[in-house]
Amino acid sequence: MGYRVLCTGLLLMFVLAGAAAAASIQSYIGDTVHLSGYCPTSQTVYLFLTGPNLPANGVALDNINELADQGGFTQVSVDSNDHWQYDWVTGSIGGRLDAGTYTVWAVDGPNDLANLNQAQYSMISVTLSEPGIGSVSASTSPDGAVEAVSTTAVAPGILNVSSVPEDSSVVVNGNYQGRSPISIPDLTPGTYQVNISRFNYEVLSTSATVESGATTEVTATLRPQTGTLVIATTPAGANITLDGADEGISPVTLNGIAAGNHTVNATLAGYIPSETVVTVVADQSVTSTIPLAKPAFSLIPVSMTPLPVNVPLAACAAALILFACIRRPRNGA
């Protein structure tokens, strides 16, 4: 999302209102320039500015009346990740800047331009123009006369990037912009290289032409990276489903499966159904062997209640009389 400069250990990223940076930033007086970067050597970054009609050793970014050689710096705190950032509002600086090219300096100590040999620093050029107002430059014609050539400031454009799936990384001209969908304003008209990427998806690269005062739309559908999945079971012959879709009888080889996690179900008569999660790796073959288990043996309790027997009442009476006769003692016995 900006132009990066590395100098003796201090890394800076300069971003113009979300724009992808070129060799130097092109902006308008009154715009906000986003500055950010890393500083592993200090807990504070000291910013100052040099350029047209400014004191030679620089002034503070937020107040051009404060001289750097008298301690006038814009101080920015560095966080625990060695990162810092600052929004430079070019229209609110205690005065007015002239149109022209300036240099923003970032130093790891309170050192002005004359004392940079005692510190670590980095810098970038920022060219500021009057919004919508032409500028005049001079050149010499073949006959020696001086010609005035009028040029008009070019209005920036906007680049909108969306993707399927969303939340994909967007890089423009090698600079990370954020995640889709994203709108990138204040781009200098021209052609930009756009890379859109997401984990387990192929990187999509395309070029986009941004026109003055217009919005350019880039819509990308990313193709998932794929691999091969081999599914086996012990014993073989189980029905296999992948993410709910029937894939046949094990063992089975499945090609072109999207990289990432998938759910495999295996069922076989007489065995306990099994469900497992497998991870497919892009451009590789992964084998998953699923052991199937039979259900544990269990006894079924048997009822010991005697069955009811229907005996006729007459039969019961006859049995009682016969029993009584048998038990009666004989005379003379």
Side-chain angles (χ1 to χ4, degrees):
M1 194 167 169
Y3 181 68
R4 302 183 180 184
V5 178
L6 177 63
C7 183
T8 61
L10 190 63
L11 176 62
L12 300 180
M13 295 180 290
F14 292 91
V15 183
L16 168 59
S24 64
I25 294 175
Q26 303 287 328
S27 184
Y28 296 96
I29 297 173
D31 281 346
T32 297
V33 179
H34 179 73
L35 308 175
S36 64
Y38 293 88
C39 179
T41 57
S42 174
Q43 292 301 305
T44 302
V45 169
Y46 297 82
L47 304 177
F48 68 90
L49 181 71
T50 58
N53 301 319
L54 294 179
N57 287 329
V59 296
L61 263 68
D62 57 341
N63 189 345
I64 60 175
N65 299 304
E66 296 182 1
L67 307 183
D69 56 10
Q70 297 179 13
F73 298 93
T74 299
Q75 300 184 34
V76 181
S77 297
V78 179
D79 64 24
S80 58
N81 296 317
D82 296 333
H83 180 261
W84 62 269
Q85 62 180 1
Y86 178 73
D87 288 328
W88 179 32
V89 183
T90 61
S92 180
I93 53 175
R96 179 174 175 79
L97 295 173
D98 296 327
T101 300
Y102 295 82
T103 301
V104 176
W105 301 82
V107 192
D108 66 350
N111 299 76
D112 59 54
L113 187 63
N115 295 287
L116 290 179
N117 60 336
Q118 304 173 18
Q120 297 183 2
Y121 65 92
S122 188
M123 70 285 189
I124 192 170
S125 295
V126 180
T127 299
L128 299 177
S129 302
E130 294 285 353
I133 300 178
S135 59
V136 177
S137 61
S139 62
T140 303
S141 63
D143 59 5
V146 175
E147 298 177 329
V149 181
S150 178
T151 60
T152 302
V154 179
I158 299 173
L159 178 62
N160 291 338
V161 181
S162 59
S163 69
V164 178
E166 294 184 345
D167 200 36
S168 299
S169 296
V170 178
V171 175
V172 177
N173 282 4
N175 299 299
Y176 176 74
Q177 300 292 327
R179 294 188 171 276
S180 63
I182 187 173
S183 181
I184 309 169
D186 299 315
L187 289 176
T188 301
T191 300
Y192 292 82
Q193 186 66 30
V194 181
N195 291 339
I196 305 169
S197 62
R198 183 181 171 90
F199 182 67
N200 281 336
Y201 287 81
E202 296 180 4
V203 177
L204 188 148
S205 297
T206 187
S207 59
T209 300
V210 175
E211 298 180 352
S212 175
T215 298
T216 300
E217 301 284 346
V218 173
T219 302
T221 299
L222 303 185
R223 293 170 48 185
Q225 295 178 315
T226 61
T228 298
L229 176 61
V230 179
I231 303 173
T233 61
T234 53
N239 293 310
I240 300 298
T241 64
L242 181 69
D243 297 329
D246 188 12
E247 298 294 350
I249 305 299
S250 65
V252 62
T253 298
L254 307 177
N255 297 311
I257 304 302
N261 294 333
H262 298 272
T263 301
V264 176
N265 290 89
T267 56
L268 180 62
Y271 290 83
I272 300 174
S274 176
E275 179 176 293
T276 186
V277 175
V278 296
T279 300
V280 175
V281 181
D283 301 320
Q284 296 186 24
S285 179
V286 175
T287 299
S288 176
T289 301
I290 303 172
L292 300 178
K294 287 188 174 183
F297 178 77
S298 62
L299 292 175
I300 300 177
V302 178
S303 176
M304 300 302 293
T305 303
L307 295 175
V309 179
N310 294 323
V311 181
L313 183 59
C316 292
L320 289 173
I321 295 172
L322 178 61
F323 178 76
C325 293
I326 294 173
R327 293 293 295 173
R328 180 182 298 173
R330 296 179 180 181
N331 294 331

